[in-house]
């Protein structure tokens, strides 16, 4: 337990996190690319056509992992925001703020791919379905967080205000997840279950799960890169940043 507390405080140090993220980022990116190739090959080539939707269903190998990530990233942001608000930890603010654009991108991809699938299946690009509408609200919350963060001259004040908005916006997550249960909706129900049997054949399920892991490693790689760049700006006057700049000049 003491070791966990030690590493918790260690990673809360900007220079330690900068070095840690620098080591892990290329590995996360490489794993994400390898898994994406395997997952897309399995989903677009190996998996059979759906007996009702034909090949049109294959968009799920992008749509579903993106939808999962839109919720997962917001969950990570909520935890980081809680830590930032309660303990005022600088690194938690950085994680929350730098996760927001990535989460917004995944949410946007979810909505776009959903529309591309909805046109041939439902006959329309958009309908005010409970799942679609709550996912659109999630995108607006992401954009609101990004806008609020940049609305303050003092970035620490902006991050703190945005963290409060993140915590308020958490109420939308169960609405997105359970919308197909709580309301009569066009969107199909849950087919992949962590506990219990999934309502999808194994040949379609494994590429979907591979893509899920691919998007998570991509998120980690993207977050590490964004956080490292942000830390250099945030800590620009500190000795460790000046040392990095000095080392870069010496190498060039």
């Amino acid at each position: 337990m003491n070791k966990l507390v030690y590493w918790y405080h260690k990673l809360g140090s900007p220079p330690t996190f900068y070095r840690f993220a620098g080591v892990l980022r290329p590995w996360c990116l490489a794993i994400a690319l390898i898994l994406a190739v395997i997952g897309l090959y399995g989903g677009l080539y190996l998996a059979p056509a759906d007996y009702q939707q034909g090949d049109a269903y294959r968009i799920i190998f992008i749509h579903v992992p993106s939808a999962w990530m839109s919720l997962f990233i917001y969950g990570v942001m909520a935890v980081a925001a809680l830590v930032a608000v309660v303990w005022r930890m600088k690194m938690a603010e950085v994680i929350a703020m730098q996760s927001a654009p990535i989460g917004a991108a995944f949410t946007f991809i979810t909505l776009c791919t959903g529309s591309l699938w909805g046109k041939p299946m439902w006959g329309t690009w958009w309908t005010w379905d409970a799942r679609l509408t709550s996912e659109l609200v999630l995108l607006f919350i992401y954009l609101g967080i990004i806008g609020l963060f940049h609305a303050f001259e003092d970035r620490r004040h902006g991050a703190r205000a945005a963290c409060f908005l993140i915590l308020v916006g958490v109420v939308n997550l169960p609405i997105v997840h359970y919308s197909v249960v709580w309301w009569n909706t066009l969107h199909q129900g849950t087919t992949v279950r962590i506990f219990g049997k999934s309502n999808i054949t194994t040949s379609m399920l494994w590429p979907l799960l591979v893509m899920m892991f691919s998007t998570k490693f991509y998120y980690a790689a993207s977050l590490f890169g964004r956080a490292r760049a942000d830390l250099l700006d945030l800590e620009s006057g500190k000795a460790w940043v000046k040392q990095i700049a000095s080392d870069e000049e010496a190498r060039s």
Side-chain angles (χ1 to χ4, degrees), residues 70-145:
S70 70
L71 300 179
F72 175 80
I73 293 175
Y74 200 96
V76 172
M77 289 169 57
V79 173
L82 183 62
V83 172
V85 168
V86 175
W87 289 285
R88 298 178 179 270
M89 186 177 285
K90 187 185 298 183
M91 275 310 310
E93 294 175 3
V94 171
I95 295 299
M97 295 305 102
Q98 297 310 313
S99 291
I102 310 170
F106 273 114
T107 308
F108 181 74
I109 292 170
T110 301
L111 291 168
C112 288
T113 53
S115 294
L116 291 172
W117 177 86
K119 180 60 177 175
M121 294 301 111
W122 296 343
T124 181
W125 295 103
W126 179 263
T127 181
W128 292 102
D129 175 88
R131 173 60 64 81
L132 273 66
T133 303
S134 55
E135 188 75 11
L136 179 62
V137 170
L138 182 62
L139 176 61
F140 290 153
I141 294 173
Y142 270 121
L143 296 178
I145 291 164

Side-chain angles (χ1 to χ4, degrees), residues 1 14-15 51 63 95 97 148 227:
M1 189 64 177
Y51 77 101
H63 174 73
I95 295 299
M97 295 305 102
L148 185 59

Side-chain angles (χ1 to χ4, degrees), residues 56-68:
Y57 90 96
R58 296 185 192 277
I59 202 167
I60 70 167
F61 297 108
I62 299 296
H63 174 73
V64 174
S66 296
W68 287 341

